[in-house]
Structures are given as C-alpha cells and as structure tokens.
Amino acid sequence: MLAIHSITKTYEAKPVLSDITLRVNRGESLGVIGESGSGKSTLAKIVLGLTSVDKGEVIFQGVHLHDLKGKSLKNFRRHVQIVFQDPTSSLNPKLPVWKSVIEPLENYPEVVPSFLKEVRHDKKQMAGMLFNQVGLSQTLIEKFPHQLSGGQKQRIAIARAISLQPALLICDEPTSSLDVSVQAQILNLLKQLKQELGMSIIFISHDLAAVQFMCEEIAVLKDGELLETFPTEEIFSVKRHDYTKKLVEMAL
Ligand SMILES: Nc1ncnc2c1ncn2[C@@H]1O[C@H](COP(=O)(O)OP(=O)(O)OP(=O)(O)O)[C@@H](O)[C@H]1O
Ligand SMILES: [Mg+2]
C-alpha cells in the first residue's frame, strides 16, 4: 500500500534520515520506535508530503508521491491522515469541536465514507456519527476544546483524522500526552477503528508495549538509520539487533 524507498533527508548538512526503505501493507500497522531525535517525525512528514527528501521516493498505492499534482494530490491527501501527540494542535480553539471534526468533509464534499452514507447531507449528524465512532458522548458536540479533557480531545482529533475514511493513518506518539489509564483506551480505540475501517497505520512511539499491542511489524530507527524491521512476534528473538534488545530490556 505504501512503500518508502531509499529515503535520505538532511537538515543543515546534518543527516536526519539515511537510506530508509520500508513498506506498509494494507490494513496492517507498522510501528516505528527509536529514541528522541532518531527521525521518526521527519519520516511522518515525508510520508504526508509535507517535507521534501534529498533522495529516494514515497510510493502510495503504486504512484510516486512527487508525481502527484492537482486532483491526484488532493486524493492522496484525503487518504493519508495524521494524529499528533498534542491533540490541541489539531483543533481550532475558536470552533465548537463538532465543526473541527467535519472540517475535512467540508473540503471533500464528493467523499462519502461508508459509515456516513445515511447522514452525508447533514453536517451535525455527520459529526454525531463520528462522535459515536470514537466513543464520545453527543453531549460534548457543542463544547470548545478548552472544555474537554486530554483524552476527549485526542478522540476528537482521531474522529477528524478518520472522517474521510483514509487508507493510512499516521499516529505520531498519539498517547504520550495522556494519563496512563486514558492511553490504554485510546490504543484500544485505534485498534478497533483500524479493524472496522480496514486502515493501515504507521504508529510512532517511544512506548514499546503500545507498539507491540498495535502493530504487526516493527521498525527500529537510531540516529536516522533503520537498524531492522521485524514481525512483532519476533521481538524477543535472539536475532534482534543489540540496540533493539536494549530497548526491550528497558521496557521490561
Ligand atoms: N525543520 C527542521 N530543521 C532542522 N532540523 C530539524 C528539523 N526538523 C527536525 N530536525 C532535526 O532532525 C532530527 C530528527 O528529528 P525528529 O523530529 O524527526 O525526531 P523524532 O524521532 O521525532 O524525535 P522525538 O521522539 O523527540 O519526537 C533532530 O535532530 C531534529 O533536531
Ligand atoms: Mg517526533
């Protein structure tokens, strides 16, 4: 579904990603782990088409990202959405949250996600359906972001990100800003949505347990280099890279 081929990115002559090759299969999750500064968010920005690369390519559903223009670029943007660490950053503080949730749908009036078929004519009903989808009470629909908890805001950000039924959802540390008890709820929600909507996920996290829970495959980044990629069930294998073993040990 998504192939990242031999990507290299430099910021101010400093290599941030070196020769990264990865694939994400349809309906599957790829976990990306690595310490702070290893290049995880840069990789996310490159896949979203927000940052250029020095070398290499991103191929989405068989098409090179740098070849996309006009309509096909807009279609790509519909299909690749992101959830950030800090939900506040993706919500407009001046809008009641239901309006933030349906904003992407307003930008794509021709898109009718399967779970919104019956209500596509009515913006508030669409917001209501999306609230249902992410387990939020309808009583919160008129609230503003500052009136909601961190977990509620992250659910809103997720509702917005899935509103166009994307093929790929990138989650960049989606639970790092939340209380531990809320983290588990959000992970369960993401996993459930992945199954219901058949989305692929790139799940970026420091939290190895979360990555194990969410992902079929794990990629380990260190200082911009991809050390290894392996199926999640092989995380404890003796074949693992020494650095991965260290991460596993630290998480125990
Ligand atoms: N716009 C930029 N200009 C210059 N350097 C940048 C820029 N964005 C990122 N970097 C550098 O690239 C490296 C990788 O940053 P990135 O944000 O991708 O790391 P990360 O793995 O997401 O870290 P964290 O876990 O802290 O979020 C860092 O050294 C960072 O300082
Ligand atoms: Mg980051």
Side-chain angles (χ1 to χ4, degrees):
M1 211 251 340
L2 179 84
I4 297 162
H5 187 67
S6 207
I7 275 181
T8 295
K9 173 75 186 172
T10 322
Y11 277 125
E12 294 141 16
K14 181 173 154 275
V16 173
L17 290 173
S18 311
D19 199 23
I20 306 291
T21 296
L22 285 171
R23 356 173 13 102
V24 184
N25 297 323
R26 191 178 298 277
E28 290 194 357
S29 300
L30 173 72
V32 179
I33 58 172
E35 61 203 51
S36 188
S38 57
K40 305 182 298 295
S41 295
T42 303
L43 186 66
K45 279 183 216 150
I46 288 169
V47 172
L48 285 163
L50 299 176
T51 297
S52 64
V53 294
D54 300 323
K55 205 176 114 294
E57 51 232 354
V58 177
I59 303 162
F60 178 73
Q61 295 180 340
V63 184
H64 289 239
L65 180 51
H66 68 243
D67 290 340
L68 296 177
K69 288 185 203 71
K71 251 194 188 156
S72 52
L73 182 60
K74 195 175 176 197
N75 181 53
F76 167 81
R77 293 207 184 287
R78 171 224 160 161
H79 273 300
V80 184
Q81 297 286 325
I82 185 158
V83 174
F84 293 103
Q85 175 174 347
D86 174 13
T88 312
S89 67
S90 50
L91 302 177
N92 184 338
K94 295 194 186 110
L95 288 184
V97 286
W98 75 269
K99 286 198 173 157
S100 285
V101 161
I102 59 150
E103 211 170 35
L105 287 156
E106 288 182 320
N107 295 331
Y108 287 81
E110 72 285 7
V111 172
V112 185
S114 55
F115 53 92
L116 294 176
K117 249 190 217 130
E118 264 100 78
V119 294
R120 190 62 174 101
H121 56 282
D122 185 312
K123 288 179 181 177
K124 225 168 191 173
Q125 280 193 43
M126 285 198 293
M129 288 287 242
L130 283 160
F131 269 56
N132 271 341
Q133 198 95 29
V134 297
L136 278 175
S137 159
Q138 303 291 323
T139 58
L140 300 177
I141 231 164
E142 299 286 355
K143 303 270 190 221
F144 288 83
H146 73 270
Q147 296 173 303
L148 299 182
S149 72
Q152 287 168 337
K153 277 188 279 194
Q154 195 57 297
R155 284 179 196 267
I156 300 276
I158 293 169
R160 181 185 154 95
I162 62 155
S163 65
L164 294 167
Q165 210 168 13
L168 173 65
L169 185 65
I170 302 178
C171 301
D172 191 353
E173 313 251 9
T175 60
S176 307
S177 70
L178 305 174
D179 288 348
V180 177
S181 61
V182 182
Q183 287 183 9
Q185 292 169 14
I186 296 292
L187 292 178
N188 278 314
L189 171 66
L190 285 169
K191 201 167 176 175
Q192 175 205 330
L193 289 171
K194 173 193 161 214
Q195 271 151 14
E196 280 175 19
L197 306 177
M199 287 185 300
S200 304
I201 293 184
I202 295 179
F203 187 83
I204 296 171
S205 182
H206 286 105
D207 182 349
L208 204 55
V211 169
Q212 273 177 271
F213 175 73
M214 283 296 301
C215 304
E216 282 89 1
E217 287 255 325
I218 300 178
V220 183
L221 277 185
K222 185 169 191 299
D223 301 331
E225 292 192 21
L226 181 65
L227 296 187
E228 58 176 349
T229 307
F230 52 87
T232 301
E233 65 264 22
E234 292 176 15
I235 191 165
F236 299 113
S237 161
V238 290
K239 289 184 295 184
R240 290 291 63 81
H241 192 285
D242 283 345
Y243 179 74
T244 309
K245 286 180 182 161
K246 212 177 85 193
L247 291 179
V248 169
E249 236 168 71
M250 287 189 321
L252 289 176

